[in-house]
Amino acid sequence: MNLETHIHSARLLRSWDIPDSARQVCCIAMREDLALLSSFIEERPQNKVRLLLVPDLPAGGPEYVRFSGRGGVAAIPIRGLQDVEKAANLEKVILCRPGAPGAAATAMLCRCLAACGVRGVYLYSGQERGFGVQRPLPDFYDQHAAKLQKVYDLLADDAGREAYAGRIKALMTGEAGYLPLSAHQEYYHPLVRPEHGDIMLDGGVSDMVGVQMQFAQSVGETGRIFGFEPMPDMAAIAKKQLESFPQYHLQTAGLGESSGQARFTCLRDSSRIAASSDDENTVLCQMTTIDDFAQKHHLGRVHCIKLDVEGAEMLALAGGRKTILKHHPKLIICLYHTPSHLFDIPLFIHELVPSYTMYVAHSSCLFTDTILYAHS
């Protein structure tokens, strides 16, 4: 299958448009989202709820839940997710809060359902669109077809090609529901991940360091991680939280194409290089390159590089040419900050080291978290 055919055949796996023809439905929700069930029943009487699945249903919980609505009193069987086979002939509707918390819970539920053989679901949040929607780029494939096809041909497995085609379809339609969710965790592809004893460069930290703690546990006491966070306030908070991991060494600096200084704009939970130096809401930050840092700190080996640097991934890779050529480290690079990165980053890596094997995977119900994994 070529890429264009794959894009056109991509399925909408998570849709906000619940059809009136879905007469018999199974609603799926975490306990904290069960309040949405009553509004769903009230708003959509044409979609009769025949079963409710609650993954975190406590042992000894109720067997039925009752709701009063326009159609009278409804007694709906309530079961755990292990009984999903009872919904084999019902359309699946996930009840989810809007925004990032709802997206995270939905991703978890979708993975559980996929493990049971269920891929396509509908979503309901009480709003028209709860998350995973953005301005479409309908001409994206036509404008970049040759480069996109070249990357597609470089990908090593069917799962990566499906994720890549799904990403393009999502960009063209503005619907993140076309993106298939990986079975593995973000940054942890089965073949490309931080491992015990690795020396790792971690580009992009912020002050939310749960992932960094996991990286530290993965490399263990014999490994070392050098993290890079340009914003001084965020770096100070992150350093404090990482004190119990002596193998993690956080640098108050960003990664770029050259060492020196650059202005950064502070975002809600991260930062990015400022679009204009005239912007008053910026902070002057220190910058280094992968190559300069590796040379200065006499890194005899670099096993893994992860880059999630808010759109500066190409600059950071350009500043790491020598290190990548010398060590052929595992690469974990975010592709989602800029549409052109979907082809620019893989082609840059392939031209630099043609022996790299590449995979693509996506791990959220949002447009974020599409990642390129590469090893040589």
Side-chain angles (χ1 to χ4, degrees), residues 315-360:
L315 297 175
L317 286 167
R321 281 188 179 92
K322 294 178 182 178
T323 302
I324 295 171
L325 278 168
K326 180 179 180 181
H327 300 293
H328 292 195
K330 293 170 287 187
L331 299 176
I332 303 170
I333 315 295
C334 290
L335 295 179
Y336 59 84
H337 293 109
T338 301
S340 63
H341 282 182
L342 205 54
F343 49 86
D344 283 340
I345 288 174
L347 293 179
F348 176 90
I349 292 169
H350 177 68
E351 290 166 10
L352 191 63
V353 183
S355 63
Y356 265 118
T357 300
M358 292 189 279
Y359 311 87
V360 169

Side-chain angles (χ1 to χ4, degrees), residues 8 88 98 101 104 115 133 174 176 185-186 226 265 294 314 332 353 361 366 369 376:
H8 287 309
V133 180
Q185 181 184 348
E186 182 185 23
F226 299 94
T265 300
M314 281 294 292
I332 303 170
V353 183
L366 304 172
D369 306 326
S376 181

Side-chain angles (χ1 to χ4, degrees), residues 269-301:
D269 55 4
S270 61
S271 62
R272 66 166 59 213
I273 295 175
S276 170
S277 59
D278 297 329
D279 188 346
E280 295 180 358
N281 299 314
T282 61
V283 177
L284 189 63
C285 299
Q286 296 299 314
M287 298 292 292
T288 188
T289 71
I290 291 172
D291 289 342
D292 288 350
F293 185 86
Q295 182 179 19
K296 179 180 178 181
H297 291 266
H298 307 290
L299 300 184
R301 189 79 174 92

Side-chain angles (χ1 to χ4, degrees), residues 3-317:
L3 176 57
E4 185 174 13
T5 302
H6 206 156
I7 292 168
H8 287 309
S9 64
R11 289 178 55 201
L12 184 58
L13 301 171
R14 298 173 299 280
S15 173
W16 293 101
D17 298 317
I18 306 170
D20 292 345
S21 59
R23 298 292 185 182
Q24 311 281 321
V25 306
C26 166
C27 286
I28 305 158
M30 306 300 289
R31 279 191 295 168
E32 61 184 338
D33 294 325
L34 285 177
L36 288 166
L37 181 60
S38 58
S39 62
F40 179 83
I41 291 173
E42 281 293 306
E43 288 181 23
R44 303 197 61 84
Q46 67 274 35
N47 305 125
K48 301 296 184 184
V49 181
R50 300 305 186 192
L51 180 64
L52 176 63
L53 297 180
V54 181
D56 54 349
L57 182 69
E63 293 188 0
Y64 292 88
V65 60
R66 287 177 168 78
F67 285 95
S68 298
R70 285 179 290 175
V73 178
I76 302 169
I78 181 170
R79 301 287 186 271
L81 199 60
Q82 69 275 8
D83 289 326
V84 67
E85 73 278 358
K86 297 182 184 298
N89 297 319
L90 304 176
E91 297 287 356
K92 316 300 186 296
V93 178
I94 292 178
L95 308 177
C96 49
R97 288 157 289 162
T106 300
M108 184 275 293
L109 289 174
C110 286
R111 285 193 178 89
C112 293
L113 290 168
C116 299
V118 178
R119 294 198 74 196
V121 298
Y122 296 103
L123 307 179
Y124 175 84
S125 70
Q127 299 182 6
E128 184 178 358
R129 294 285 192 275
F131 48 77
V133 180
Q134 68 177 27
R135 181 177 62 85
L137 302 173
D139 299 324
F140 181 73
Y141 174 76
D142 289 339
Q143 291 171 347
H144 309 289
K147 292 180 179 179
L148 292 168
Q149 181 67 54
K150 185 172 182 179
V151 175
Y152 180 83
D153 292 339
L154 289 171
L155 297 176
D157 63 359
D158 290 341
R161 287 186 285 271
E162 182 183 10
Y164 196 73
R167 178 80 196 180
I168 297 167
K169 186 70 170 278
L171 288 173
M172 293 171 65
T173 61
E175 292 273 3
Y178 282 102
L179 281 156
L181 300 180
S182 63
H184 60 81
Q185 181 184 348
E186 182 185 23
Y187 306 129
Y188 279 82
H189 189 279
L191 300 176
V192 185
R193 56 197 296 159
E195 296 176 281
H196 188 78
D198 276 359
I199 295 174
M200 179 180 182
L201 304 182
D202 178 16
V205 175
S206 84
D207 55 3
M208 301 170 65
V209 296
V211 168
Q212 280 64 42
M213 291 178 179
Q214 188 170 6
F215 288 163
Q217 292 169 344
S218 296
V219 305
E221 295 180 359
T222 62
R224 282 187 295 164
I225 304 176
F226 299 94
F228 300 86
E229 171 50 52
M231 298 293 281
D233 290 349
M234 288 187 178
I237 295 171
K239 284 181 180 179
K240 185 70 175 176
Q241 296 179 80
L242 290 165
E243 284 179 347
S244 59
F245 296 94
Q247 65 270 52
Y248 199 103
H249 308 275
L250 184 59
Q251 318 299 306
T252 306
L255 289 176
E257 189 172 13
S258 60
S259 297
Q261 293 182 319
R263 288 200 167 273
F264 277 73
T265 300
C266 186
L267 307 176
R268 180 170 55 87
D269 55 4
S270 61
S271 62
R272 66 166 59 213
I273 295 175
S276 170
S277 59
D278 297 329
D279 188 346
E280 295 180 358
N281 299 314
T282 61
V283 177
L284 189 63
C285 299
Q286 296 299 314
M287 298 292 292
T288 188
T289 71
I290 291 172
D291 289 342
D292 288 350
F293 185 86
Q295 182 179 19
K296 179 180 178 181
H297 291 266
H298 307 290
L299 300 184
R301 189 79 174 92
V302 176
H303 300 95
C304 185
I305 297 174
K306 166 257 179 184
L307 293 176
D308 182 358
V309 287
E310 302 301 326
E313 286 79 9
M314 281 294 292
L315 297 175
L317 286 167

